[in-house]
Structure formats: structure tokens, C-alpha cells
Amino acid sequence: RALVAPSLFEGCNCFRQRLVLSTLSGKRVKIRNIRSKDDNPGLRDFEASFIRLLDKVTNGTRIEINQTGTVLFYQPGLLYGGSVEHECNVQRSIGYYLEALLMLAPFMKTPLRAVLKGVTNDPTDPSVDLLKVTAIPLMKKFGIDGDGLEIKVLKRGMAPAGGGEVLFTCPVRRSMKPVHLTEPGKIKRIRGTAFSVRVSPQMANRIVDSARSILNKFIPDIYIYTDHMKGASSGKSPGFGLTLVAETVNGTFLGAEVVSTPQGQGDPVLPEDLGRNCAKLLLEEVYRGGCVDSTNQSLSLLYMTLGQQDVSKTLLGPLSPYTVEFLRHIRDFFQIMFKIEQQKPGEDEQKGGEKVLMTCVGAGYSNINKTIK
């Protein structure tokens, strides 16, 4: 281990990807020039908070950061898991931290029980609600299931002040099973959650009505819950939002969400507009299609990479720029290359965006931390 030079990276882009893959592959990384030309150089508070979270779920991780915070050396320890509580930085939502935990949790030594505090819904990161309805069913397809797998919103917290609380529990697995997700199937129902905190509960109803005004033209089976949290569980800032998920006959979940503008930033948004925008985003996501929605592309590709030494196939919509970077990092850390085939929509098919069929042979990664019983 000591003889291998750490992988060198530049800049703050794809920061989470590098640290997550480094932790899984056991390879040390050194990231240089982190915002070195910036007026305020070095790691941001939310990145430092992310490193602390990784430190909490691992055992024996070595982290060195230089004075200005522009160079980070990270030597991963063993993924330990267990019970963790973390105060997430409010510059980013809990989803930013949770996405990484979803990637790491199945490979821990003991099942993870993480309580994350901070912002549950904000306009930049996938919200906790979205990950709950799209990432969890996806994890089940890779054989991570059981009663222990859940994401629960205990308190909502809107940007900018936060005050939310989320519980994430996940069982551990020895290895990932290979998947063949090539038939997304037709949409059979749409579910959603319209939430409002520290504003009139009527806001959520207005969101639901406007979203239904668009979606009812396509499908009758729509149910949108209204979730109005009061008192201590409503966090510190006002706001409202909508998360929608379309489920297909083959159990594919495609999600979309919109959140109101954080208090004191930019123009306020009407609940009617928000509902309509979210419905349109959901239709856009359905158009892009595939067996995994755009938020979870990298999660599914990671699980395929770490699967048993067998062929996995997944049909995705157009790859997001984040996913493209992720594929490059998978090549750097695991030497796994995907076969990428463009799929043209057929004549008889309802027209949708161009799809990509991703195929790879798993690295045969097995959870070294889990003791054999």
C-alpha cells in the first residue's frame, strides 16, 4: 500500500465522486489546486463537512489538508458504519451528503444508521423526498433489501436556515447482484408529495391542483399527498415544494421535483407555477426515460461496477454531464470500462429521447469488512 503513489486530481469538481470511489477502492487520492485562483481559495465549509462525515463512517481514515485548504490528501480507512449523527452544512442540502452514503452504505462492516441534520429541500441538490422514492427502489433491484432499508424525514428544514432531520438506515451486503434493466415499461401511476412548512397549509393544495391540471390529461391514477409539518418539526425557514414520481409497470421509478425559492434569495414563486413546472419536469424525465432517472444514473453505474463478475446491463436516458465524469472516475479507480450503445427509439414505440444501453462486467467487489458467519 505504501508503495503506490496516490492518484492525483486537480480542482474542486467531482469532489464527492473522488472521495467515495477512493473509499471503496482503498486507493489514496491527492487533490490539488482546489479553487486556488479564487478570491476565497480552498475547500468550502460544505466540503469540509462532507469529509467529516466520511471520517465518521470509516475507521482509520487519514486526511491532510494544507493551510490554505487548496490541497487535500485522503487515505481511506475501513468502512465501519454503525450509528452516526452528522450536522450537515446548510450551504448544501442533506441530499448532497445522502447521495454519497447511498453509494457506501451497503459495503459497511455494520449496518448504517445515520441521522443527518440540516436542509432537507433546496433548489440545487436532489431532495431527501426524491431519493426516498427513486433511489431506494433502485437499491432493491441490486439485492439491497430487507426491513432495514429506509429514508425517513423526521423534520423538514428549508434553505437557508435548515433545521431538518433525516434518518437513513441500510443493511450491509456481501456483494451486489448483477442486473438486467432494459425494459422500462409504460407509466402506470404517478405519486407525489406536496409539502409546506411555515406557510399556509393551503399552499400545498394549490400546488396539487395545478400539477394535476397538467398530468390528468395523460393518466387517471394520480395521488399527491399533502404534507404540512408544524411546530418544531417544520425547521427554521418557510417554504414549499413538490416531489413527483412516475412508476412504470416494470417497477421503474422516474422522479422530478421543484422547491420554492429560499427566503431572501431571488423572486418569490407562486405555488401554481411551481406545481405546473414540476409536472412539466416529470414529463421531461419520462421523455428522457430509461430504467433509472437522471438523478440516480451514477448510483446504478456504481452498483453495476461493484457487482459480481458477471454482465450487467442498464438502459439509461441521455447521460448527464455528472454521469460522464463519474464514468471517467470509475475507469481511474476500478479500471472498469462500460460498453455504451446508442438506442434509437423504434417505429412502434412512443417517441422518447435517445437512450443509451450501458453494459459492463462487474469488478467482483466483495465487502471485505463484513465478517463471514
Side-chain angles (χ1 to χ4, degrees):
R1 227 175 226 269
L3 299 174
V4 183
S7 311
L8 275 178
F9 292 106
E10 299 271 332
C12 62
N13 233 351
C14 309
F15 181 75
R16 284 182 305 169
Q17 296 183 3
R18 289 164 184 168
L19 295 189
V20 165
L21 292 171
S22 156
T23 311
L24 286 168
S25 63
K27 291 181 180 167
R28 305 181 300 169
V29 285
K30 188 174 186 180
I31 305 178
R32 295 184 308 200
N33 296 339
I34 301 175
R35 301 194 180 85
S36 48
K37 296 199 166 53
D38 219 58
D39 294 344
N40 175 11
L43 291 170
R44 293 281 176 267
D45 293 346
F46 66 87
E47 290 164 333
S49 173
F50 179 73
I51 297 172
R52 281 197 293 278
L53 176 62
L54 286 183
D55 195 34
K56 283 180 189 173
V57 296
T58 55
N59 199 344
T61 297
R62 213 173 101 223
I63 300 157
E64 292 166 19
I65 301 171
N66 70 347
Q67 296 255 259
T68 52
T70 52
V71 180
L72 165 74
F73 172 76
Y74 179 85
Q75 182 172 340
L78 288 176
L79 278 166
Y80 186 74
S83 212
V84 176
E85 197 168 292
H86 187 66
E87 194 70 57
C88 300
N89 187 285
V90 291
Q91 291 172 348
R92 299 296 288 263
S93 84
I94 292 176
Y96 174 85
Y97 303 88
L98 194 54
E99 277 190 299
L101 286 184
L102 291 172
M103 293 181 168
L104 298 170
F107 307 104
M108 305 270 180
K109 181 173 175 140
T110 55
L112 180 68
R113 183 182 186 284
V115 175
L116 302 175
K117 298 178 178 176
V119 174
T120 51
N121 306 77
D122 78 348
T124 41
D125 298 297
S127 73
V128 181
D129 304 272
L130 189 69
L131 293 173
K132 178 176 163 179
V133 289
T134 56
I136 297 285
L138 177 67
M139 291 169 80
K140 289 183 175 162
K141 292 190 176 161
F142 283 90
I144 310 163
D145 46 13
D147 314 328
L149 180 65
E150 71 163 342
I151 296 176
K152 205 168 179 184
V153 183
L154 306 174
K155 297 178 184 171
R156 277 205 189 278
M158 303 296 291
E165 198 171 305
V166 172
L167 171 69
F168 169 52
T169 53
C170 180
V172 285
R173 283 292 166 263
R174 181 102 188 121
S175 60
M176 288 288 172
K177 62 180 201 193
V179 294
H180 283 258
L181 305 174
T182 50
E183 291 296 323
K186 294 197 166 109
I187 307 284
K188 65 172 176 184
R189 59 171 168 227
I190 292 174
R191 293 288 176 264
T193 306
F195 63 87
S196 54
V197 289
R198 299 191 174 271
V199 293
S200 152
Q202 200 51 43
M203 291 291 198
N205 302 341
R206 286 164 64 186
I207 294 174
V208 173
D209 291 344
S210 64
R212 292 193 71 120
S213 71
I214 289 186
L215 297 173
N216 272 344
K217 296 173 193 165
F218 300 100
I219 193 168
D221 188 353
I222 299 174
Y223 193 85
I224 302 174
Y225 300 87
T226 52
D227 172 21
H228 181 72
M229 287 199 171
K230 295 190 190 64
S233 55
S234 66
K236 299 173 184 168
S237 298
F240 48 87
L242 172 63
T243 306
L244 290 173
V245 62
E247 186 188 342
T248 70
V249 286
N250 293 350
T252 294
F253 291 83
L254 305 170
E257 62 177 345
V258 182
V259 186
S260 60
T261 329
Q263 190 183 16
Q265 302 171 14
D267 300 329
V269 55
L270 277 173
E272 284 77 8
D273 297 345
L274 185 138
R276 278 193 295 270
N277 290 347
C278 192
K280 286 174 186 164
L281 277 175
L282 183 72
L283 297 177
E284 171 72 25
E285 196 59 64
V286 169
Y287 174 80
R288 295 180 55 152
C291 293
V292 179
D293 65 350
S294 40
T295 337
N296 295 298
Q297 285 179 349
S298 45
L299 183 67
S300 60
L301 294 173
L302 177 76
Y303 285 167
M304 286 166 71
T305 304
L306 299 175
Q308 297 159 13
Q309 288 181 327
D310 200 347
V311 178
S312 279
K313 289 184 182 201
T314 300
L315 186 70
L316 298 180
L319 299 181
S320 66
Y322 185 82
T323 309
V324 174
E325 281 301 318
F326 194 73
L327 286 168
R328 289 181 184 140
H329 282 106
I330 283 181
R331 182 195 59 199
D332 294 345
F333 283 97
F334 287 101
Q335 285 73 53
I336 293 273
M337 304 276 269
F338 280 78
K339 179 175 166 201
I340 304 178
E341 298 167 79
Q342 287 278 336
Q343 299 270 333
K344 292 270 187 283
E347 289 306 307
D348 55 336
E349 292 292 308
Q350 274 75 14
K351 293 280 180 279
E354 289 200 353
K355 314 277 187 287
V356 231
L357 183 64
M358 310 291 289
T359 314
C360 82
V361 176
Y365 184 88
S366 83
N367 186 344
I368 45 172
N369 308 314
K370 192 165 154 50
T371 44
I372 303 172
K373 293 220 164 54

